[in-house]
Amino acid sequence: MELLSFRFAGFVVFGLLVFHFFKRVKAKKIVFLALNCGFIFFLVPPGASVYFFLAFLIIGFVLIQIIRIYENRVTLCISILSMVLLFMYFKNYSILYFIPKIDNLFFVTGFSYILFRIIHLLVDVHGGTVKDKVYGLDYFNYTCFFLSFVSGPIQRFEDFKEQEERFVGFQLDQNDVFMDFSRIADGLIKIGFIAVIFQFIFGEFSYRIENQNFPMQITHACAALLYTQFLYFNFSGYMDVVIGIGRIFGLRLPENFNKPFQASNFLDFWSRWHMTLSGWFKIY
């Protein structure tokens, strides 16, 4: 389901109407469950992929419950290693060439973000940061939340669950809605206009690198700069859209970019670019 499509727009509008129709937290969680299942239905091809995807989620959930009972490092290490190896097998990593492959198995990019969230839960349940029991509904909505399914941002379970509990009494404010829609519009302009321009010019430079006798240093430098700009506007535009939509739902997803091109060095740059992923690697 493309972000710049009428199908996605209709999906979100319908979800918002149903979501705000209900007042109870439990009902809103069930709406999220339906939206997440619907999004996965459109995204993951039918067939074996769906069953193995569900198996991956179920195994992760079972391991989280085991970690809560057996609080020791050996169980934690075995659980994390099991999920990583299972992920590598389902993704057909060549390092596992000696294991027979599964035909017609396909997973989208967001599969890796589910792995990150499951590892986060395993570590934090073991460490006591996640104190309450992780229930199936909360687990599925957190790991498969449709707005951050494909490319993040990676939100911590405690933050997600705390914001869900605040659905009681949540009302849309006119000024907030205006700001949220403004941010969504900014994101759509980045994705559908600015990023497309940089992608087109990058394609022209790539063609000239292969077919013309231009100075290689200049063409390579320009191509690298153009592709970086395309990547930034496309990715940050996506974040603007999902964060803006999330706020209309009553969820404040974490920011993923903080003016990365104003960084003073590469270390500062990576602390401003895809911040939730950088933070995940730093913590876990």
Side-chain angles (χ1 to χ4, degrees), residues 36-211:
N36 295 334
C37 289
F39 188 80
I40 292 171
F41 173 80
F42 286 113
L43 206 62
V44 179
S49 298
V50 175
Y51 299 109
F52 285 102
F53 176 79
L54 291 175
F56 186 81
L57 287 173
I58 293 170
I59 292 171
F61 180 72
V62 171
L63 290 175
I64 289 168
Q65 307 310 314
I66 293 174
I67 285 291
R68 183 171 294 280
I69 299 171
Y70 302 100
E71 298 178 353
N72 58 74
R73 286 177 177 253
V74 175
T75 307
L76 175 64
C77 291
I78 293 175
S79 299
I80 293 175
L81 182 61
S82 299
M83 294 306 301
V84 171
L85 290 175
L86 196 61
F87 171 83
M88 293 171 65
Y89 176 65
F90 285 166
K91 293 284 285 185
N92 289 326
Y93 274 51
S94 58
I95 194 174
L96 301 179
Y97 66 91
F98 52 90
I99 303 178
K101 302 298 182 184
I102 303 172
D103 295 331
N104 301 321
L105 190 62
F106 175 81
F107 288 108
V108 295
T109 307
F111 193 43
S112 56
Y113 287 93
I114 293 176
L115 175 68
F116 295 150
R117 295 184 184 102
I118 292 175
I119 291 177
H120 146 62
L121 279 169
L122 288 169
V123 173
D124 282 7
V125 167
H126 171 265
T129 306
V130 177
K131 297 180 174 62
D132 298 331
K133 184 178 179 180
V134 179
Y135 293 98
L137 179 60
D138 294 327
Y139 168 79
F140 183 83
N141 282 343
Y142 169 69
T143 54
C144 299
F145 185 48
F146 75 99
L147 287 177
S148 54
F149 186 95
V150 176
S151 298
I154 306 174
Q155 187 175 23
R156 301 186 71 177
F157 178 76
E158 313 90 280
D159 298 334
F160 184 84
K161 195 167 186 302
E162 182 182 348
Q163 291 184 45
E164 276 192 326
E165 299 303 326
R166 293 178 185 171
F167 286 156
V168 178
F170 171 74
Q171 293 182 342
L172 292 172
D173 179 82
Q174 184 176 354
N175 294 328
D176 290 338
V177 171
F178 176 78
M179 295 300 295
D180 296 338
F181 273 104
S182 296
R183 182 159 189 181
I184 294 170
D186 289 343
L188 293 175
I189 291 171
K190 285 182 181 179
I191 298 170
F193 183 68
I194 302 176
V196 171
I197 291 175
F198 278 111
Q199 186 180 29
F200 173 77
I201 301 175
F202 165 75
E204 288 297 307
F205 267 93
S206 300
Y207 172 79
R208 294 181 185 281
I209 288 172
E210 294 180 356
N211 298 280

